[in-house]
């Protein structure tokens, strides 16, 4: 019972093992081709640093604190499990305390940790074949995956997924790989050039988690429902009481909705800025950028299947697609009105970040931030 009582709310090792076992294999490439892809992605990531900094007019701190890693799908899974474990620790500790005071809670928790580990692994196996790149803001170093020594994140490029998409779209591989690197390097620049951004984002996330008052077993049950949808065990057409809401929406309280509104605005800004930069830099260094953007946009908008569309909604991926679109429109509109230097006032402090309302009404942000600064 002592060992059971000390069991974690999520069996993280089981989550990694499950995702690694279930994730689909990447495209077929020879060993020499794989090495060439990895080498080219590293070159492009390095070249993107200067391109992004010149275009955005954003300086940065020492980039040696933010390593660039080219990974496969299991490597992406391991990195994200480590990140989840880090950022969710306060919430899971809180849930574990409450579980300990519940009759039979230790036994239920041990079983629940295993089940949740399997189900988290299932979700990650779905996502692992779709992510092209990712800047990990909260990235603890592991034996296999280094991270910044002074709190810096790490940039991941998922080589098999990049090769898969460039083949699917039938675009020029050299151009597509650089285009992807420009997007991810923009995220790296955002966090290295704006020292307060990471702490601000972490504070918002922790505030969101601290507001979680849902019973631990209820949280686990809702994650379980998500995994059942993923596994197809829920009858077709049956949505249940949650009406197809995303996992985040399912567990929201009123206070969390307010925090989530601020987080949505920040993420829309970051994603939209990255899209704006990758397309802005593109014409000078990516000859086929117009073709790539058109084909990639079409791919974003269509779902591979009805199940894929349902999963996008469940995991909140449809919201992420809106963040790219709405955020890019915000950045473009502000730059058109006040120029890049004027737009960069957005990075001054948390108070100059756009609100959720201002993301859809860029003129309101310009009026608030620039009028206040000039008065």
């Amino acid at each position: 019972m002592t060992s059971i009582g000390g069991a974690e709310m999520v069996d993280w090792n089981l989550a990694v093992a499950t995702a690694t076992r279930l994730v689909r294999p990447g495209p077929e490439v020879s060993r020499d081709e794989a090495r060439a892809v990895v080498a080219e992605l590293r070159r492009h990531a390095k070249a993107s640093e200067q391109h992004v900094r010149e275009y955005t007019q954003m300086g940065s701190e020492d980039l040696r604190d933010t390593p660039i890693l080219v990974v496969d799908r299991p490597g992406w899974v391991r990195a994200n499990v480590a990140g989840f474990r880090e950022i969710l620790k306060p919430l899971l500790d809180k849930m574990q305390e409450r579980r300990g005071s519940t009759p039979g809670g230790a036994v239920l928790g041990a079983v629940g940790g295993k089940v949740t580990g399997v189900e988290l692994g299932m979700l990650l196996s779905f996502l692992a074949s779709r992510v092209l790149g990712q800047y990990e803001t909260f990235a603890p170093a592991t034996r296999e995956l280094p991270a910044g020594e002074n709190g810096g994140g790490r940039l991941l490029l998922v080589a098999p997924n990049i090769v898969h998409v460039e083949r699917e779209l039938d675009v020029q591989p050299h151009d597509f790989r650089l285009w992807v690197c420009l997007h991810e390097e923009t995220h790296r620049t955002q966090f290295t050039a704006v020292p307060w951004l990471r702490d601000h984002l972490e504070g918002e996330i922790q505030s969101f988690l601290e507001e979680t008052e849902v019973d631990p077993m209820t949280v686990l049950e809702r994650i379980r429902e998500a995994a059942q949808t993923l596994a197809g065990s829920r009858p077709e057409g049956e949505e249940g009481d949650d009406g197809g809401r995303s996992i985040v929406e399912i567990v929201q309280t009123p206070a969390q909705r307010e925090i989530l509104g601020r987080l949505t605005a920040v993420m829309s800004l970051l994603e939209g800025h990255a899209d704006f930069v990758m397309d802005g830099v593109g014409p000078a260094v990516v000859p086929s950028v117009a073709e790539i953007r058109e084909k990639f946009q079409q791919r974003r908008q269509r779902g591979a299947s009805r199940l894929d569309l349902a999963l996008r909604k469940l995991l909140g991926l449809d919201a992420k697609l809106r963040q790219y679109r709405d955020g890019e429109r915000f950045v473009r509109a502000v730059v058109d009105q006040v120029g890049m230097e004027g737009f960069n006032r957005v990075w001054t402090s948390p108070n100059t970040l756009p609100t959720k309302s201002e993301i859809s009404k860029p003129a309101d942000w310009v009026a608030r931030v620039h009028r206040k600064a000039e008065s």
Side-chain angles (χ1 to χ4, degrees):
M1 290 298 293
T2 301
S3 61
I4 291 176
E8 292 191 79
M9 296 296 295
V10 179
D11 189 327
W12 300 105
N13 292 332
L14 187 56
V16 171
T18 301
T20 302
R21 185 175 69 253
L22 295 179
V23 71
R24 291 182 295 178
E28 291 188 8
V29 294
S30 68
R31 181 171 296 182
D32 287 344
E33 287 175 318
R35 287 173 176 166
V37 170
V38 170
E40 184 171 31
L41 286 172
R42 286 175 176 159
R43 288 196 303 271
H44 284 331
K46 186 64 178 176
S48 295
E49 293 177 11
Q50 189 64 27
H51 294 316
V52 169
R53 279 148 190 72
E54 288 179 355
Y55 187 79
T56 63
Q57 301 173 24
M58 295 174 71
S60 66
E61 295 182 341
D62 193 344
L63 290 173
R64 290 175 295 181
D65 198 39
T66 55
I68 299 170
L69 307 177
V70 181
V71 299
D72 57 10
R73 290 170 177 176
W76 179 87
V77 167
R78 289 191 292 271
N80 276 266
V81 166
F84 287 152
R85 190 171 188 170
E86 180 81 5
I87 199 68
L88 293 176
K89 188 177 186 303
L91 172 63
L92 295 180
D93 286 348
K94 176 181 176 181
M95 292 172 65
Q96 193 157 4
E97 288 178 8
R98 294 179 63 177
R99 182 190 69 188
S101 62
T102 303
V107 175
L108 291 173
V111 174
K114 296 290 185 185
V115 173
T116 308
V118 169
E119 292 167 348
L120 176 60
M122 294 170 66
L123 295 174
L124 288 171
S125 72
F126 170 78
L127 295 172
S129 62
R130 286 160 170 75
V131 177
L132 300 182
Q134 175 184 1
Y135 180 79
E136 277 200 292
T137 314
F138 313 105
T142 68
R143 184 174 58 184
E144 299 172 320
L145 296 163
E149 296 180 0
N150 300 311
R154 59 183 167 224
L155 192 153
L156 304 179
L157 297 168
V158 191
N161 297 349
I162 294 173
V163 171
H164 171 78
V165 173
E166 69 190 27
R167 290 179 178 179
E168 179 187 325
L169 298 182
D170 189 26
V171 293
Q172 214 286 330
H174 173 87
D175 286 3
F176 184 74
R177 294 167 193 176
L178 177 54
W179 189 69
V180 170
C181 287
L182 289 169
H183 181 102
E184 302 308 330
E185 178 57 35
T186 301
H187 287 317
R188 189 166 175 245
T189 297
Q190 290 162 349
F191 284 93
T192 56
V194 186
W196 55 264
L197 185 58
R198 180 187 184 279
D199 289 342
H200 172 72
L201 195 59
E202 182 176 17
E204 292 282 54
I205 292 172
Q206 292 304 330
S207 295
F208 181 89
L209 296 178
E210 287 168 6
E211 290 292 334
T212 299
E213 295 296 342
V214 181
D215 177 76
M217 298 313 295
T218 304
V219 174
L220 297 179
E221 180 60 31
R222 287 174 175 177
I223 294 175
R224 201 160 297 137
E225 289 173 8
Q228 287 172 355
T229 302
L230 177 62
S233 59
R234 179 173 289 177
E236 184 175 355
E238 180 182 323
E239 290 188 332
D241 295 336
D242 295 317
R245 290 180 293 160
S246 73
I247 291 173
V248 172
E249 291 172 319
I250 287 171
V251 299
Q252 272 185 50
T253 66
Q256 286 176 316
R257 277 191 284 274
E258 182 178 341
I259 298 169
L260 190 63
R262 297 195 298 268
L263 279 169
T264 298
V266 175
M267 297 311 298
S268 296
L269 169 68
L270 299 180
E271 296 293 357
H273 183 233
D275 263 14
F276 175 79
V277 172
M278 73 194 296
D279 287 345
V281 175
V285 297
V286 183
S288 59
V289 64
E291 176 192 1
I292 290 173
R293 166 54 73 190
E294 181 180 1
K295 290 183 175 180
F296 192 76
Q297 200 65 27
Q298 291 172 357
R299 183 181 185 274
R300 269 183 179 172
Q301 292 171 351
R302 68 174 184 266
S305 65
R306 185 175 178 179
L307 174 62
D308 192 62
L309 290 172
L311 288 170
R312 283 187 184 184
K313 174 63 179 175
L314 178 69
L315 300 176
L317 300 183
D318 56 341
K320 189 172 180 64
L321 295 180
R322 289 196 297 273
Q323 287 172 2
Y324 285 112
R325 182 187 65 240
D326 297 345
E328 194 274 341
R329 287 175 180 169
F330 170 83
V331 176
R332 187 172 300 280
V334 172
V335 172
D336 285 347
Q337 189 169 346
V338 296
M340 187 67 74
E341 183 178 354
F343 165 78
N344 280 341
R345 289 189 186 180
V346 79
W347 311 117
T348 304
S349 74
N351 293 329
T352 56
L353 291 172
T355 64
K356 188 176 180 181
S357 173
E358 288 170 342
I359 286 290
S360 58
K361 298 178 180 178
D364 289 355
W365 179 87
V366 172
R368 175 173 68 87
V369 173
H370 282 260
R371 194 172 297 162
K372 181 178 180 181
E374 293 163 3
S375 60

PDB file of all heavy atoms in Angstrom, residues 205-234:
ATOM      1  N   ILE A 205      -0.585  30.138 -17.152  1.00  0.00           N
ATOM      2  CA  ILE A 205      -0.917  28.713 -17.164  1.00  0.00           C
ATOM      3  C   ILE A 205      -1.094  28.192 -15.744  1.00  0.00           C
ATOM      4  O   ILE A 205      -2.041  27.446 -15.446  1.00  0.00           O
ATOM      5  CB  ILE A 205       0.173  27.917 -17.908  1.00  0.00           C
ATOM      6  CG1 ILE A 205       0.158  28.266 -19.403  1.00  0.00           C
ATOM      7  CG2 ILE A 205      -0.033  26.401 -17.723  1.00  0.00           C
ATOM      8  CD1 ILE A 205       1.325  27.687 -20.181  1.00  0.00           C
ATOM      9  N   GLN A 206      -0.188  28.585 -14.851  1.00  0.00           N
ATOM     10  CA  GLN A 206      -0.311  28.125 -13.472  1.00  0.00           C
ATOM     11  C   GLN A 206      -1.562  28.695 -12.806  1.00  0.00           C
ATOM     12  O   GLN A 206      -2.213  28.011 -12.015  1.00  0.00           O
ATOM     13  CB  GLN A 206       0.945  28.495 -12.676  1.00  0.00           C
ATOM     14  CG  GLN A 206       2.195  27.737 -13.096  1.00  0.00           C
ATOM     15  CD  GLN A 206       2.017  26.219 -13.035  1.00  0.00           C
ATOM     16  OE1 GLN A 206       1.263  25.688 -12.233  1.00  0.00           O
ATOM     17  NE2 GLN A 206       2.723  25.515 -13.915  1.00  0.00           N
ATOM     18  N   SER A 207      -1.925  29.934 -13.126  1.00  0.00           N
ATOM     19  CA  SER A 207      -3.164  30.501 -12.597  1.00  0.00           C
ATOM     20  C   SER A 207      -4.364  29.704 -13.088  1.00  0.00           C
ATOM     21  O   SER A 207      -5.313  29.447 -12.339  1.00  0.00           O
ATOM     22  CB  SER A 207      -3.310  31.968 -13.024  1.00  0.00           C
ATOM     23  OG  SER A 207      -2.298  32.764 -12.445  1.00  0.00           O
ATOM     24  N   PHE A 208      -4.313  29.303 -14.338  1.00  0.00           N
ATOM     25  CA  PHE A 208      -5.380  28.483 -14.917  1.00  0.00           C
ATOM     26  C   PHE A 208      -5.485  27.154 -14.168  1.00  0.00           C
ATOM     27  O   PHE A 208      -6.577  26.715 -13.786  1.00  0.00           O
ATOM     28  CB  PHE A 208      -5.093  28.243 -16.402  1.00  0.00           C
ATOM     29  CG  PHE A 208      -6.148  27.433 -17.106  1.00  0.00           C
ATOM     30  CD1 PHE A 208      -7.233  28.063 -17.697  1.00  0.00           C
ATOM     31  CD2 PHE A 208      -6.051  26.052 -17.193  1.00  0.00           C
ATOM     32  CE1 PHE A 208      -8.212  27.317 -18.353  1.00  0.00           C
ATOM     33  CE2 PHE A 208      -7.019  25.301 -17.844  1.00  0.00           C
ATOM     34  CZ  PHE A 208      -8.104  25.943 -18.425  1.00  0.00           C
ATOM     35  N   LEU A 209      -4.336  26.523 -13.929  1.00  0.00           N
ATOM     36  CA  LEU A 209      -4.342  25.228 -13.252  1.00  0.00           C
ATOM     37  C   LEU A 209      -4.754  25.349 -11.789  1.00  0.00           C
ATOM     38  O   LEU A 209      -5.429  24.471 -11.246  1.00  0.00           O
ATOM     39  CB  LEU A 209      -2.956  24.588 -13.354  1.00  0.00           C
ATOM     40  CG  LEU A 209      -2.480  24.236 -14.772  1.00  0.00           C
ATOM     41  CD1 LEU A 209      -1.071  23.660 -14.728  1.00  0.00           C
ATOM     42  CD2 LEU A 209      -3.431  23.251 -15.449  1.00  0.00           C
ATOM     43  N   GLU A 210      -4.341  26.439 -11.137  1.00  0.00           N
ATOM     44  CA  GLU A 210      -4.691  26.633  -9.730  1.00  0.00           C
ATOM     45  C   GLU A 210      -6.195  26.798  -9.530  1.00  0.00           C
ATOM     46  O   GLU A 210      -6.721  26.511  -8.450  1.00  0.00           O
ATOM     47  CB  GLU A 210      -3.964  27.859  -9.172  1.00  0.00           C
ATOM     48  CG  GLU A 210      -2.472  27.630  -8.949  1.00  0.00           C
ATOM     49  CD  GLU A 210      -1.729  28.919  -8.667  1.00  0.00           C
ATOM     50  OE1 GLU A 210      -2.402  29.981  -8.542  1.00  0.00           O
ATOM     51  OE2 GLU A 210      -0.486  28.880  -8.578  1.00  0.00           O
ATOM     52  N   GLU A 211      -6.884  27.258 -10.569  1.00  0.00           N
ATOM     53  CA  GLU A 211      -8.332  27.444 -10.474  1.00  0.00           C
ATOM     54  C   GLU A 211      -9.097  26.138 -10.665  1.00  0.00           C
ATOM     55  O   GLU A 211     -10.327  26.127 -10.582  1.00  0.00           O
ATOM     56  CB  GLU A 211      -8.808  28.471 -11.514  1.00  0.00           C
ATOM     57  CG  GLU A 211      -8.387  29.889 -11.217  1.00  0.00           C
ATOM     58  CD  GLU A 211      -9.085  30.441  -9.984  1.00  0.00           C
ATOM     59  OE1 GLU A 211     -10.194  29.964  -9.662  1.00  0.00           O
ATOM     60  OE2 GLU A 211      -8.522  31.336  -9.333  1.00  0.00           O
ATOM     61  N   THR A 212      -8.392  25.065 -10.961  1.00  0.00           N
ATOM     62  CA  THR A 212      -9.050  23.783 -11.192  1.00  0.00           C
ATOM     63  C   THR A 212      -9.581  23.239  -9.874  1.00  0.00           C
ATOM     64  O   THR A 212      -8.822  22.921  -8.973  1.00  0.00           O
ATOM     65  CB  THR A 212      -8.069  22.766 -11.816  1.00  0.00           C
ATOM     66  OG1 THR A 212      -7.616  23.281 -13.064  1.00  0.00           O
ATOM     67  CG2 THR A 212      -8.754  21.421 -12.046  1.00  0.00           C
ATOM     68  N   GLU A 213     -10.889  23.151  -9.780  1.00  0.00           N
ATOM     69  CA  GLU A 213     -11.509  22.631  -8.561  1.00  0.00           C
ATOM     70  C   GLU A 213     -12.289  21.349  -8.840  1.00  0.00           C
ATOM     71  O   GLU A 213     -13.071  20.893  -8.013  1.00  0.00           O
ATOM     72  CB  GLU A 213     -12.453  23.689  -7.967  1.00  0.00           C
ATOM     73  CG  GLU A 213     -11.739  24.938  -7.487  1.00  0.00           C
ATOM     74  CD  GLU A 213     -10.776  24.656  -6.331  1.00  0.00           C
ATOM     75  OE1 GLU A 213     -10.911  23.604  -5.684  1.00  0.00           O
ATOM     76  OE2 GLU A 213      -9.881  25.498  -6.093  1.00  0.00           O
ATOM     77  N   VAL A 214     -12.086  20.779 -10.018  1.00  0.00           N
ATOM     78  CA  VAL A 214     -12.794  19.556 -10.371  1.00  0.00           C
ATOM     79  C   VAL A 214     -12.212  18.395  -9.578  1.00  0.00           C
ATOM     80  O   VAL A 214     -11.005  18.308  -9.382  1.00  0.00           O
ATOM     81  CB  VAL A 214     -12.680  19.288 -11.886  1.00  0.00           C
ATOM     82  CG1 VAL A 214     -13.430  18.022 -12.272  1.00  0.00           C
ATOM     83  CG2 VAL A 214     -13.219  20.475 -12.653  1.00  0.00           C
ATOM     84  N   ASP A 215     -13.077  17.498  -9.125  1.00  0.00           N
ATOM     85  CA  ASP A 215     -12.618  16.316  -8.409  1.00  0.00           C
ATOM     86  C   ASP A 215     -11.625  15.537  -9.266  1.00  0.00           C
ATOM     87  O   ASP A 215     -11.837  15.360 -10.469  1.00  0.00           O
ATOM     88  CB  ASP A 215     -13.821  15.427  -8.087  1.00  0.00           C
ATOM     89  CG  ASP A 215     -13.405  14.149  -7.398  1.00  0.00           C
ATOM     90  OD1 ASP A 215     -13.084  14.195  -6.206  1.00  0.00           O
ATOM     91  OD2 ASP A 215     -13.377  13.103  -8.087  1.00  0.00           O
ATOM     92  N   PRO A 216     -10.514  15.068  -8.675  1.00  0.00           N
ATOM     93  CA  PRO A 216      -9.487  14.363  -9.450  1.00  0.00           C
ATOM     94  C   PRO A 216     -10.025  13.222 -10.303  1.00  0.00           C
ATOM     95  O   PRO A 216      -9.648  13.078 -11.451  1.00  0.00           O
ATOM     96  CB  PRO A 216      -8.525  13.842  -8.375  1.00  0.00           C
ATOM     97  CG  PRO A 216      -8.689  14.798  -7.244  1.00  0.00           C
ATOM     98  CD  PRO A 216     -10.124  15.213  -7.260  1.00  0.00           C
ATOM     99  N   MET A 217     -10.913  12.423  -9.751  1.00  0.00           N
ATOM    100  CA  MET A 217     -11.421  11.290 -10.513  1.00  0.00           C
ATOM    101  C   MET A 217     -12.295  11.761 -11.674  1.00  0.00           C
ATOM    102  O   MET A 217     -12.385  11.103 -12.702  1.00  0.00           O
ATOM    103  CB  MET A 217     -12.212  10.342  -9.595  1.00  0.00           C
ATOM    104  CG  MET A 217     -11.371   9.734  -8.465  1.00  0.00           C
ATOM    105  SD  MET A 217      -9.756   9.083  -9.036  1.00  0.00           S
ATOM    106  CE  MET A 217     -10.310   7.744 -10.088  1.00  0.00           C
ATOM    107  N   THR A 218     -12.938  12.928 -11.508  1.00  0.00           N
ATOM    108  CA  THR A 218     -13.728  13.481 -12.598  1.00  0.00           C
ATOM    109  C   THR A 218     -12.824  13.918 -13.743  1.00  0.00           C
ATOM    110  O   THR A 218     -13.137  13.707 -14.922  1.00  0.00           O
ATOM    111  CB  THR A 218     -14.569  14.677 -12.117  1.00  0.00           C
ATOM    112  OG1 THR A 218     -15.388  14.253 -11.029  1.00  0.00           O
ATOM    113  CG2 THR A 218     -15.444  15.222 -13.230  1.00  0.00           C
ATOM    114  N   VAL A 219     -11.683  14.546 -13.400  1.00  0.00           N
ATOM    115  CA  VAL A 219     -10.719  14.937 -14.427  1.00  0.00           C
ATOM    116  C   VAL A 219     -10.247  13.711 -15.191  1.00  0.00           C
ATOM    117  O   VAL A 219     -10.204  13.692 -16.423  1.00  0.00           O
ATOM    118  CB  VAL A 219      -9.519  15.678 -13.799  1.00  0.00           C
ATOM    119  CG1 VAL A 219      -8.455  15.943 -14.858  1.00  0.00           C
ATOM    120  CG2 VAL A 219      -9.978  16.995 -13.179  1.00  0.00           C
ATOM    121  N   LEU A 220      -9.885  12.658 -14.448  1.00  0.00           N
ATOM    122  CA  LEU A 220      -9.410  11.430 -15.097  1.00  0.00           C
ATOM    123  C   LEU A 220     -10.492  10.839 -15.980  1.00  0.00           C
ATOM    124  O   LEU A 220     -10.219  10.328 -17.069  1.00  0.00           O
ATOM    125  CB  LEU A 220      -8.963  10.419 -14.041  1.00  0.00           C
ATOM    126  CG  LEU A 220      -7.776  10.830 -13.162  1.00  0.00           C
ATOM    127  CD1 LEU A 220      -7.469   9.732 -12.148  1.00  0.00           C
ATOM    128  CD2 LEU A 220      -6.551  11.133 -14.004  1.00  0.00           C
ATOM    129  N   GLU A 221     -11.744  10.903 -15.516  1.00  0.00           N
ATOM    130  CA  GLU A 221     -12.845  10.344 -16.298  1.00  0.00           C
ATOM    131  C   GLU A 221     -13.039  11.122 -17.601  1.00  0.00           C
ATOM    132  O   GLU A 221     -13.314  10.548 -18.654  1.00  0.00           O
ATOM    133  CB  GLU A 221     -14.134  10.366 -15.474  1.00  0.00           C
ATOM    134  CG  GLU A 221     -15.347   9.793 -16.200  1.00  0.00           C
ATOM    135  CD  GLU A 221     -15.158   8.335 -16.618  1.00  0.00           C
ATOM    136  OE1 GLU A 221     -14.429   7.603 -15.913  1.00  0.00           O
ATOM    137  OE2 GLU A 221     -15.729   7.946 -17.648  1.00  0.00           O
ATOM    138  N   ARG A 222     -12.849  12.422 -17.539  1.00  0.00           N
ATOM    139  CA  ARG A 222     -13.029  13.224 -18.751  1.00  0.00           C
ATOM    140  C   ARG A 222     -11.897  12.988 -19.748  1.00  0.00           C
ATOM    141  O   ARG A 222     -12.120  12.969 -20.957  1.00  0.00           O
ATOM    142  CB  ARG A 222     -13.150  14.703 -18.373  1.00  0.00           C
ATOM    143  CG  ARG A 222     -14.488  15.002 -17.721  1.00  0.00           C
ATOM    144  CD  ARG A 222     -14.599  16.412 -17.202  1.00  0.00           C
ATOM    145  NE  ARG A 222     -15.945  16.649 -16.699  1.00  0.00           N
ATOM    146  CZ  ARG A 222     -16.349  17.776 -16.130  1.00  0.00           C
ATOM    147  NH1 ARG A 222     -15.501  18.781 -15.992  1.00  0.00           N
ATOM    148  NH2 ARG A 222     -17.579  17.913 -15.696  1.00  0.00           N
ATOM    149  N   ILE A 223     -10.684  12.805 -19.235  1.00  0.00           N
ATOM    150  CA  ILE A 223      -9.590  12.424 -20.128  1.00  0.00           C
ATOM    151  C   ILE A 223      -9.880  11.059 -20.750  1.00  0.00           C
ATOM    152  O   ILE A 223      -9.612  10.816 -21.924  1.00  0.00           O
ATOM    153  CB  ILE A 223      -8.251  12.403 -19.365  1.00  0.00           C
ATOM    154  CG1 ILE A 223      -7.888  13.821 -18.916  1.00  0.00           C
ATOM    155  CG2 ILE A 223      -7.134  11.826 -20.230  1.00  0.00           C
ATOM    156  CD1 ILE A 223      -6.652  13.891 -18.052  1.00  0.00           C
ATOM    157  N   ARG A 224     -10.477  10.176 -19.937  1.00  0.00           N
ATOM    158  CA  ARG A 224     -10.820   8.836 -20.417  1.00  0.00           C
ATOM    159  C   ARG A 224     -11.851   8.927 -21.547  1.00  0.00           C
ATOM    160  O   ARG A 224     -11.773   8.203 -22.547  1.00  0.00           O
ATOM    161  CB  ARG A 224     -11.367   8.037 -19.234  1.00  0.00           C
ATOM    162  CG  ARG A 224     -11.315   6.544 -19.397  1.00  0.00           C
ATOM    163  CD  ARG A 224     -11.393   5.868 -18.026  1.00  0.00           C
ATOM    164  NE  ARG A 224     -10.246   6.216 -17.211  1.00  0.00           N
ATOM    165  CZ  ARG A 224     -10.310   6.539 -15.930  1.00  0.00           C
ATOM    166  NH1 ARG A 224     -11.466   6.581 -15.309  1.00  0.00           N
ATOM    167  NH2 ARG A 224      -9.214   6.826 -15.263  1.00  0.00           N
ATOM    168  N   GLU A 225     -12.820   9.823 -21.389  1.00  0.00           N
ATOM    169  CA  GLU A 225     -13.826  10.008 -22.431  1.00  0.00           C
ATOM    170  C   GLU A 225     -13.175  10.475 -23.734  1.00  0.00           C
ATOM    171  O   GLU A 225     -13.566  10.055 -24.828  1.00  0.00           O
ATOM    172  CB  GLU A 225     -14.870  11.036 -21.977  1.00  0.00           C
ATOM    173  CG  GLU A 225     -15.785  10.527 -20.865  1.00  0.00           C
ATOM    174  CD  GLU A 225     -16.681  11.635 -20.340  1.00  0.00           C
ATOM    175  OE1 GLU A 225     -16.680  12.725 -20.939  1.00  0.00           O
ATOM    176  OE2 GLU A 225     -17.384  11.395 -19.343  1.00  0.00           O
ATOM    177  N   ALA A 226     -12.181  11.362 -23.592  1.00  0.00           N
ATOM    178  CA  ALA A 226     -11.464  11.830 -24.779  1.00  0.00           C
ATOM    179  C   ALA A 226     -10.768  10.679 -25.472  1.00  0.00           C
ATOM    180  O   ALA A 226     -10.802  10.539 -26.701  1.00  0.00           O
ATOM    181  CB  ALA A 226     -10.441  12.891 -24.378  1.00  0.00           C
ATOM    182  N   ALA A 227     -10.131   9.817 -24.686  1.00  0.00           N
ATOM    183  CA  ALA A 227      -9.413   8.688 -25.268  1.00  0.00           C
ATOM    184  C   ALA A 227     -10.370   7.698 -25.895  1.00  0.00           C
ATOM    185  O   ALA A 227     -10.062   7.065 -26.908  1.00  0.00           O
ATOM    186  CB  ALA A 227      -8.572   7.997 -24.198  1.00  0.00           C
ATOM    187  N   GLN A 228     -11.569   7.534 -25.327  1.00  0.00           N
ATOM    188  CA  GLN A 228     -12.556   6.626 -25.910  1.00  0.00           C
ATOM    189  C   GLN A 228     -12.989   7.113 -27.280  1.00  0.00           C
ATOM    190  O   GLN A 228     -13.187   6.328 -28.205  1.00  0.00           O
ATOM    191  CB  GLN A 228     -13.762   6.501 -24.976  1.00  0.00           C
ATOM    192  CG  GLN A 228     -13.487   5.689 -23.719  1.00  0.00           C
ATOM    193  CD  GLN A 228     -14.633   5.739 -22.736  1.00  0.00           C
ATOM    194  OE1 GLN A 228     -15.616   6.453 -22.948  1.00  0.00           O
ATOM    195  NE2 GLN A 228     -14.506   4.995 -21.647  1.00  0.00           N
ATOM    196  N   THR A 229     -13.119   8.423 -27.408  1.00  0.00           N
ATOM    197  CA  THR A 229     -13.447   8.988 -28.715  1.00  0.00           C
ATOM    198  C   THR A 229     -12.329   8.707 -29.706  1.00  0.00           C
ATOM    199  O   THR A 229     -12.557   8.348 -30.863  1.00  0.00           O
ATOM    200  CB  THR A 229     -13.675  10.503 -28.610  1.00  0.00           C
ATOM    201  OG1 THR A 229     -14.727  10.745 -27.677  1.00  0.00           O
ATOM    202  CG2 THR A 229     -14.044  11.101 -29.957  1.00  0.00           C
ATOM    203  N   LEU A 230     -11.086   8.860 -29.234  1.00  0.00           N
ATOM    204  CA  LEU A 230      -9.926   8.596 -30.080  1.00  0.00           C
ATOM    205  C   LEU A 230      -9.913   7.145 -30.526  1.00  0.00           C
ATOM    206  O   LEU A 230      -9.615   6.833 -31.679  1.00  0.00           O
ATOM    207  CB  LEU A 230      -8.642   8.910 -29.319  1.00  0.00           C
ATOM    208  CG  LEU A 230      -7.318   8.627 -30.042  1.00  0.00           C
ATOM    209  CD1 LEU A 230      -7.214   9.473 -31.290  1.00  0.00           C
ATOM    210  CD2 LEU A 230      -6.144   8.883 -29.124  1.00  0.00           C
ATOM    211  N   ALA A 231     -10.249   6.227 -29.621  1.00  0.00           N
ATOM    212  CA  ALA A 231     -10.214   4.806 -29.929  1.00  0.00           C
ATOM    213  C   ALA A 231     -11.431   4.354 -30.726  1.00  0.00           C
ATOM    214  O   ALA A 231     -11.482   3.213 -31.189  1.00  0.00           O
ATOM    215  CB  ALA A 231     -10.123   3.999 -28.640  1.00  0.00           C
ATOM    216  N   GLY A 232     -12.427   5.252 -30.861  1.00  0.00           N
ATOM    217  CA  GLY A 232     -13.614   4.889 -31.624  1.00  0.00           C
ATOM    218  C   GLY A 232     -14.586   4.036 -30.852  1.00  0.00           C
ATOM    219  O   GLY A 232     -15.465   3.404 -31.431  1.00  0.00           O
ATOM    220  N   SER A 233     -14.468   3.988 -29.518  1.00  0.00           N
ATOM    221  CA  SER A 233     -15.341   3.126 -28.730  1.00  0.00           C
ATOM    222  C   SER A 233     -16.693   3.765 -28.459  1.00  0.00           C
ATOM    223  O   SER A 233     -17.623   3.099 -28.044  1.00  0.00           O
ATOM    224  CB  SER A 233     -14.676   2.775 -27.389  1.00  0.00           C
ATOM    225  OG  SER A 233     -14.389   3.945 -26.654  1.00  0.00           O
ATOM    226  N   ARG A 234     -16.821   5.063 -28.693  1.00  0.00           N
ATOM    227  CA  ARG A 234     -18.112   5.717 -28.532  1.00  0.00           C
ATOM    228  C   ARG A 234     -18.880   5.572 -29.841  1.00  0.00           C
ATOM    229  O   ARG A 234     -18.330   5.815 -30.916  1.00  0.00           O
ATOM    230  CB  ARG A 234     -17.921   7.192 -28.184  1.00  0.00           C
ATOM    231  CG  ARG A 234     -19.216   7.962 -28.009  1.00  0.00           C
ATOM    232  CD  ARG A 234     -18.956   9.368 -27.511  1.00  0.00           C
ATOM    233  NE  ARG A 234     -18.522   9.357 -26.126  1.00  0.00           N
ATOM    234  CZ  ARG A 234     -18.173  10.465 -25.464  1.00  0.00           C
ATOM    235  NH1 ARG A 234     -18.191  11.634 -26.069  1.00  0.00           N
ATOM    236  NH2 ARG A 234     -17.783  10.395 -24.207  1.00  0.00           N
TER     237      ARG A 234
END
